[in-house]
Amino acid sequence: MKPTKALHDLGQSLWIDDITRDMLDSGTLKKYIDEFSVTGLTSNPTIFDNAISKSASYDDEVQRLFKVGYSGEALFFELALQDLSRAADMFLPTHQRTASVDGYVSLEVSPLLAYDTQATVASAKRLFERAHKPNLFIKIPGTKEGLPAIEEAIYSGVSVNVTLLFSSEHCVKAADAYMKGLERRVAEGLSPDVRSVASIFVSRWDKAVLDKVPAELKDKLGIAVSHQSYRDYRKLLDSDRWQRLESMGARPQRLLFASTSTKDPAAPDTLYVEALAAPNTVNTMPDKTLLAFGDHGKLDGVLSLDGGDCEDILAAFEKAGISVSGLAAQLQKEGAASFVKSWEDLLQSIETKSKALG
């Protein structure tokens, strides 16, 4: 059995962390669905910047939209919604077959709104309504300002992919925002069946400390943090608070492992996929990692409910001078800043291309 199929059969959803018009037009995405058990897709500003700036496949549509008055963000979201609507339709059979658990695509609100609650809510609602797809997640960062936006979006019936989470504490706060939104719906007699995932970024941990820790600790921090987050996620599902919501028809906010490509050239290219196998979770990975795992990945076991040795490993990092909580805050801040940079690059690429083609 192909490793990707084995992981899927274990109960973990494999999503592709990429989208381009070329992937859609060439049949590559369909191949990933048919041959690599891919059941969803995520995108971010960096992915779209690479897709639009490095491909001619958007040129005709950029030219057409520019001529009828689109520019900047408006032009980008038109392109993104076109691509993601096509992808959403391809995943719709999965979405229906899994009773709305799987088969999602994700679109991010402008990263410039990461610290603006009200603008984030307004944008999330607008994009969700424009797409009009049952299997679309709107990505909202789990920043301090993003958390009330997540609550409000869920309350409003907008499905949310909470992004830029870097620790168990971040994930618990995202789950709290999700449940608050659902609880407000229940209080008003509305259905609590509004879906969400919580995306914890993995490989950036190890990249940040690669040259700051002894050899025996290299490439272990991201996995330990993820294991701790999975343990606390499973505890949350057993809580009275969640059980009450579930009894009324709510479905869990699934834990999603993001940024799972290996950044250390000395480490296996399937490191994070193999280490983070767990049922009822998601792993979203770029093409290269998906193909590598499909070719030579191994499924040796699953994450333990008790967190395994994650606390011992985290304590070893603290002893080595790494403040895990401090680094989590730093990584979230840096992640938000990197998406802003990609967003600015994306808009610049669109402007350059629009003027050249106009």
Side-chain angles (χ1 to χ4, degrees), residues 45-344:
T46 305
I47 286 170
F48 272 115
D49 181 34
N50 288 330
I52 294 170
S53 65
K54 297 178 181 177
S55 169
S57 59
Y58 292 89
D59 288 4
D60 289 346
E61 189 62 5
V62 168
Q63 185 178 46
R64 184 187 73 81
L65 290 169
F66 187 64
K67 283 182 176 178
V68 296
Y70 283 87
S71 63
E73 283 193 10
L75 198 156
F76 161 68
F77 279 121
E78 191 66 27
L79 294 175
L81 286 168
Q82 288 175 9
D83 283 2
L84 288 168
S85 292
R86 288 177 63 187
D89 289 344
M90 294 175 71
F91 287 115
L92 191 58
T94 297
H95 188 68
Q96 294 169 335
R97 187 175 64 250
T98 60
S100 306
V101 171
D102 207 351
Y104 285 89
V105 301
S106 296
L107 174 64
E108 190 144 357
V109 297
S110 166
L112 302 178
L113 308 179
Y115 303 104
D116 188 331
T117 301
Q118 295 308 315
T120 295
V121 172
S123 179
K125 288 181 181 179
R126 186 168 59 251
L127 291 171
F128 192 70
E129 289 167 5
R130 276 185 63 192
H132 200 62
K133 296 291 181 182
N135 54 335
L136 174 76
F137 279 129
I138 300 298
K139 294 178 82 170
I140 299 176
T143 56
K144 180 182 176 183
E145 294 80 4
L147 294 172
I150 292 158
E151 175 190 337
E152 189 65 28
I154 293 295
Y155 166 68
S156 301
V158 175
S159 300
V160 175
N161 176 342
V162 185
T163 186
L164 286 178
L165 304 175
F166 285 92
S167 67
S168 175
E169 181 183 5
H170 288 173
C171 291
V172 169
K173 287 180 177 178
D176 177 63
Y178 177 56
M179 288 190 284
K180 281 179 178 174
L182 297 182
E183 286 161 349
R184 287 171 60 191
R185 290 182 65 83
V186 168
E188 295 186 17
L190 300 170
S191 168
D193 188 9
V194 182
R195 304 306 173 98
S196 180
V197 293
S199 299
I200 181 165
F201 286 43
V202 183
S203 62
R204 295 189 189 193
W205 281 98
D206 294 314
K207 185 178 180 182
V209 300
L210 194 60
D211 301 322
K212 301 175 182 176
V213 295
E216 63 270 18
L217 290 180
K218 287 187 176 181
D219 301 313
K220 291 187 175 181
L221 183 53
I223 293 169
V225 169
S226 300
H227 207 160
Q228 182 187 55
S229 301
Y230 177 69
R231 178 198 67 192
D232 294 346
Y233 159 71
R234 293 300 299 254
K235 280 183 182 177
L236 197 62
L237 296 183
D238 291 332
S239 68
D240 289 343
R241 182 185 181 189
W242 174 252
Q243 294 294 323
R244 281 194 297 273
L245 281 167
E246 191 168 50
S247 71
M248 295 173 187
R251 299 299 295 264
Q253 180 187 57
R254 299 172 81 201
L255 186 64
L256 181 153
F257 300 112
S259 186
T260 53
S261 60
T262 306
K263 304 296 193 292
D264 179 3
D269 54 2
T270 57
L271 174 68
Y272 299 113
V273 184
E274 293 179 4
L276 300 175
N280 199 32
T281 62
V282 182
N283 191 318
T284 185
M285 60 194 84
D287 308 52
K288 190 176 179 181
T289 305
L290 173 75
L291 295 173
F293 185 73
D295 177 66
H296 54 263
K298 294 182 176 63
L299 184 58
D300 294 328
V302 300
L303 291 177
S304 57
L305 298 179
D306 64 2
D309 61 355
C310 71
E311 295 296 341
D312 291 338
I313 293 173
L314 294 174
F317 275 94
E318 294 281 352
K319 190 174 180 180
I322 304 299
S323 168
V324 176
S325 61
L327 184 54
Q330 177 188 327
L331 289 171
Q332 187 177 70
K333 185 177 180 181
E334 290 175 353
S338 72
F339 278 167
V340 166
K341 175 66 167 61
S342 293
W343 185 256
E344 291 170 345

